[in-house]
Structure formats: C-alpha cells, structure tokens
Amino acid sequence: MEPNGERCFRCKNFDAYYIKGTKKFECTKYGWCRAKKVNTERIVSCEKYEAHIYRRHALHFIEPCLNDILIELTEIRNIIEEESDENKSL
C-alpha cells in the first residue's frame, strides 16, 4: 500500500511524536495522522497523503535587507551629525 512511495513522515498531516533525550528531543517512529485521526508509523503511506511544503526561514531574506537599511541609516545619521557640528561652529 505505497502510492508513489509517499510516506507519512513527508505528509503535512503527520505530526511525529518526540521523546526527551539527554541533550535533545528525539523523533520516534510513530506519530498522529490528522487526516485519518489515528496513530500511525512514519513509514506507512495512505491515500490521504498531501506533500508537506517546506519554507525557508524568512530570516535568510530579511537579514541582508535589514543590514542595508541599517547601513543607510548610519550614513544619514553621520551626515546629520556633520551638518549639526558645522552649524555649531558658525
């Protein structure tokens, strides 16, 4: 019963169970299927399989933009401080 080799651990309806190890949480080979509403193994597949879409963290896209904005703000601040110093000296 393996349609196209699609396993539960790749399904968006599957929530794996974790147990607490000594240093980190470890994934078990069982989990909860939200589509069928039953406990199931990770390696099982079913007809209600829906591919899980992995998204990149927004931080990878935000950090460079934020860095550029902060650099521009620093340059603007330096210009304003220079003008302020010139006005004080006059």
Side-chain angles (χ1 to χ4, degrees):
M1 186 174 170
E2 239 182 84
N4 302 327
E6 298 158 339
R7 308 275 181 137
C8 281
F9 68 90
R10 293 184 185 146
C11 181
K12 76 175 189 177
N13 294 316
F14 181 76
D15 292 322
Y17 294 137
Y18 290 84
I19 56 173
K20 187 172 182 180
T22 55
K23 294 187 177 183
K24 63 178 183 173
F25 286 93
E26 298 173 11
C27 187
T28 64
K29 59 181 177 177
Y30 298 97
W32 178 256
C33 178
R34 288 179 282 173
K36 296 190 294 186
K37 296 183 174 48
V38 296
N39 290 319
T40 184
E41 280 190 81
R42 295 172 48 97
I43 59 171
V44 176
S45 58
C46 70
E47 63 280 348
K48 297 188 179 199
Y49 174 85
E50 291 183 45
H52 180 80
I53 299 171
Y54 294 97
R55 300 184 195 278
R56 293 184 184 178
H57 293 281
L59 222 49
H60 294 291
F61 300 109
I62 293 174
E63 281 181 0
C65 294
L66 185 59
N67 187 35
D68 293 342
I69 292 170
L70 290 173
I71 289 172
E72 289 178 11
L73 285 174
T74 304
E75 291 173 3
I76 292 171
R77 179 180 177 200
N78 290 338
I79 292 170
I80 292 173
E81 286 178 351
E82 286 175 10
E83 288 179 359
S84 171
D85 290 340
E86 287 176 6
N87 288 339
K88 286 181 183 177
S89 64
L90 292 177

